[in-house]
Amino acid sequence: IADNPDLAEQQITFAESSGDQGREALELPVGEQGQAVAAIRSAEGAITQASTLLDAIDRAEENLRVARVRMPALIEEVRDELTEADALIADGGPELAAAASIARDALGRAENDFAADPLGTFTALVDADADLDDALATARSAAAERTRRTELLNSSLASASAKVDAAADFIGTRRGAVQATARTRLSESQRLLAVANADAGTDPITAIDTARRAGSLADDALMAAQGDVAQWSSSQAPRG
């Protein structure tokens, strides 16, 4: 861009020279004016090129203005995003770590080298910010899913524990009436609940499924025990 004014001046000078050659060729006798068209076209091309060079200067000045206006807010935005990235690094994985690293480098250059290279540092930070935004969006989704899964795991474990406790309390207070089927189901539900609790930290999805099975089996144990008690009570009723 710095050389554009000189280059544009050279093109204008060339255009003027080509125009002069074209006019001189037009003054020649008919049949000898062939070089006029080529000279005029050369002049037009040079003028177009000069205009392009000068337009580039205008665009660069506008880009510099935009960079100076937007850079402070962009720096703050990237700083905030990097703070969020630090909190989500476990959910974002290598993609977020890489994007955050690039953004930190671009942020450092923006803070220290903006005066020397405003457009370069601004463009680099804009690109880094876009990549960081994408990585953060993925990490946020992963974090939300992890939170949802944790809540589901906790509720599944709590529900299964309540069902196992209810079946154990009912069966424990009616030992004489409850048969082996109910006791076996209760024992298996207790085992599954213990497995679910053990797996909760390392394999939450499996733990959720195991807890649900434990709760379902505890329900079956309670129903079987209630049936046994009802049958026992009927057998103990006086016969008239």
Side-chain angles (χ1 to χ4, degrees):
I1 295 296
D3 295 334
N4 280 20
D6 291 339
L7 293 173
E9 184 176 354
Q10 292 173 16
Q11 292 296 325
I12 291 171
T13 300
F14 177 76
E16 291 174 346
S17 175
S18 296
D20 290 342
Q21 292 175 12
R23 283 188 292 273
E24 290 174 0
L26 288 174
E27 294 175 356
L28 295 174
V30 176
E32 299 180 13
Q33 299 177 352
Q35 293 184 353
V37 174
I40 291 171
R41 288 179 177 172
S42 294
E44 290 174 344
I47 291 172
T48 299
Q49 184 64 28
S51 178
T52 299
L53 290 166
L54 294 175
D55 287 345
I57 295 173
D58 291 339
R59 287 194 299 272
E61 290 176 350
E62 175 61 17
N63 290 337
L64 280 171
R65 186 192 68 79
V66 170
R68 292 190 179 99
V69 170
R70 290 188 54 197
M71 182 62 99
L74 181 60
I75 286 175
E76 289 304 315
E77 177 183 339
V78 173
R79 284 174 179 167
D80 291 343
E81 289 173 348
L82 286 171
T83 298
E84 183 182 7
D86 289 339
L88 292 175
I89 200 69
D91 297 293
E95 182 183 66
L96 179 57
S101 177
I102 292 171
R104 281 194 179 88
D105 289 343
L107 179 62
R109 292 195 298 274
E111 292 172 330
N112 299 317
D113 302 332
F114 181 72
D117 185 12
L119 280 180
T121 55
F122 178 72
T123 300
L125 191 58
V126 167
D127 292 342
D129 179 49
D131 291 340
L132 184 58
D133 280 340
D134 290 342
L136 277 172
T138 301
R140 290 185 194 110
S141 296
E145 174 60 21
R146 177 173 54 81
T147 299
R148 186 198 67 81
R149 190 168 57 239
T150 299
E151 292 173 351
L152 181 57
L153 173 62
N154 291 338
S155 63
S156 297
L157 289 172
S159 175
S161 181
K163 290 180 177 182
V164 170
D165 288 345
D169 290 344
F170 185 88
I171 292 172
T173 56
R174 295 164 179 82
R175 294 181 179 278
V178 177
Q179 302 301 309
T181 296
R183 296 180 185 281
T184 299
R185 290 174 181 172
L186 173 61
S187 177
E188 180 62 10
S189 72
Q190 290 171 327
R191 185 189 72 80
L192 289 174
L193 180 59
V195 171
N197 278 301
D199 289 342
T202 57
D203 191 356
I205 294 177
T206 299
I208 290 169
D209 180 66
T210 304
R212 287 173 172 170
R213 288 163 52 207
S216 178
L217 201 54
D219 286 341
D220 291 343
L222 181 59
M223 290 178 61
Q226 289 171 337
D228 291 340
V229 170
Q231 185 176 3
W232 180 86
S233 297
S234 177
S235 69
Q236 299 302 308
R239 299 179 183 275

